[in-house]
Amino acid sequence: MRPRYWHGLRLAALLSGGKDSWTALQLAEQEGHSVAVGVSIRSSNQWSYMFHTVNAWVVEVQASAARLPLEVFTTSGEKEVEVDDLEYYLRAVRDRWDVEGVVTGGIRSNYQGDRVKRICDDLSLELYSPLWHRESEDLLRLYLRMGMDVIFVLASAMGLGPNWLGRRLDETAVADLVALQKKWGVDPTGEGGEYESMVLDAPIFKERLVVEDAQKVWKVDTGVMLIRRVRLLPKIS
């Protein structure tokens, strides 16, 4: 998924609001590509196989902070139908923005990776996935080295309790996730749906996001931090 001959591609970035998609976008630009537009797919199905749904609207604020144009689309989230929707939307983005490829933050999900790859092949677009099959702990430390400010907004795995909602990704959280991997088989990157994250600040952002209103909801073994309102503020120097 990472051909060596690429250089200077004009890309569209699939953005979920989490650490992986924003990191992939920044790595693309660091490697000489140009991200022309972000793409956000809003699914009405909270159990979507393809797209994150928690706090998806915050992507619009993130894009504003990054000064990145954003295309927002909707899907019912029906399995496989949402894949057809994605192809339809990426075709429109390709034609409207004259992009040559798509950048994603996929790490290990063959279900998602195979389908996005097929869509890109059908549309004659390159697929750029710089995080693909990278080691989990190394990725988490990459996020920290890059200066990403990341919080957990969904927890759904053994060992991830209510105290994880709103928690920041830091060295202690990395150590805890690695320990949970050894004890319960939790994927430290959350690629298996163990958790979802939200980026509040990143090197590409011109401003930082501050959560001003949020509700934490916990039911049985799964919890979510529903963000009601965020605000853009100057970065702290």
Side-chain angles (χ1 to χ4, degrees), residues 144 148-153 163-174 176-177 198-201 208-211 225 236:
L144 298 182
M148 305 278 282
D149 185 6
V150 177
I151 60 173
F152 298 88
V153 294
N163 61 310
W164 281 83
L165 297 179
R167 181 178 178 178
R168 274 183 160 78
L169 177 65
D170 55 18
E171 288 287 354
T172 302
V174 171
D176 289 346
L177 288 168
M198 178 63 60
V199 175
L200 299 181
D201 197 5
R208 60 190 174 92
L209 281 69
V210 175
V211 177
M225 178 178 175
I236 300 174

Side-chain angles (χ1 to χ4, degrees), residues 172-186:
T172 302
V174 171
D176 289 346
L177 288 168
V178 171
L180 289 174
Q181 180 186 37
K182 295 175 181 177
K183 185 174 183 178
W184 301 111
V186 171

Side-chain angles (χ1 to χ4, degrees), residues 6-11 27-35 128:
W6 285 346
H7 180 72
L9 292 177
R10 182 175 168 86
L11 302 173
L27 290 177
E29 297 211 325
Q30 288 177 14
E31 295 185 13
H33 306 299
S34 173
V35 177
Y128 180 75

Side-chain angles (χ1 to χ4, degrees), residues 134-145 174 189:
R134 292 180 64 162
E135 200 275 330
S136 295
E137 186 175 353
D138 288 347
L139 273 180
L140 293 177
R141 298 195 182 284
L142 171 64
Y143 305 143
L144 298 182
R145 289 197 306 273
V174 171
T189 65

Side-chain angles (χ1 to χ4, degrees), residues 21-62:
S21 60
W22 278 107
T23 297
L25 183 156
Q26 291 172 108
L27 290 177
E29 297 211 325
Q30 288 177 14
E31 295 185 13
H33 306 299
S34 173
V35 177
V37 62
V39 178
S40 173
I41 309 295
R42 308 290 169 80
S43 174
S44 58
N45 176 13
Q46 65 174 323
W47 307 115
S48 168
Y49 282 80
M50 290 294 295
F51 310 113
H52 289 186
T53 60
V54 178
N55 304 314
W57 67 272
V58 178
V59 177
E60 294 182 44
V61 186
Q62 295 172 327

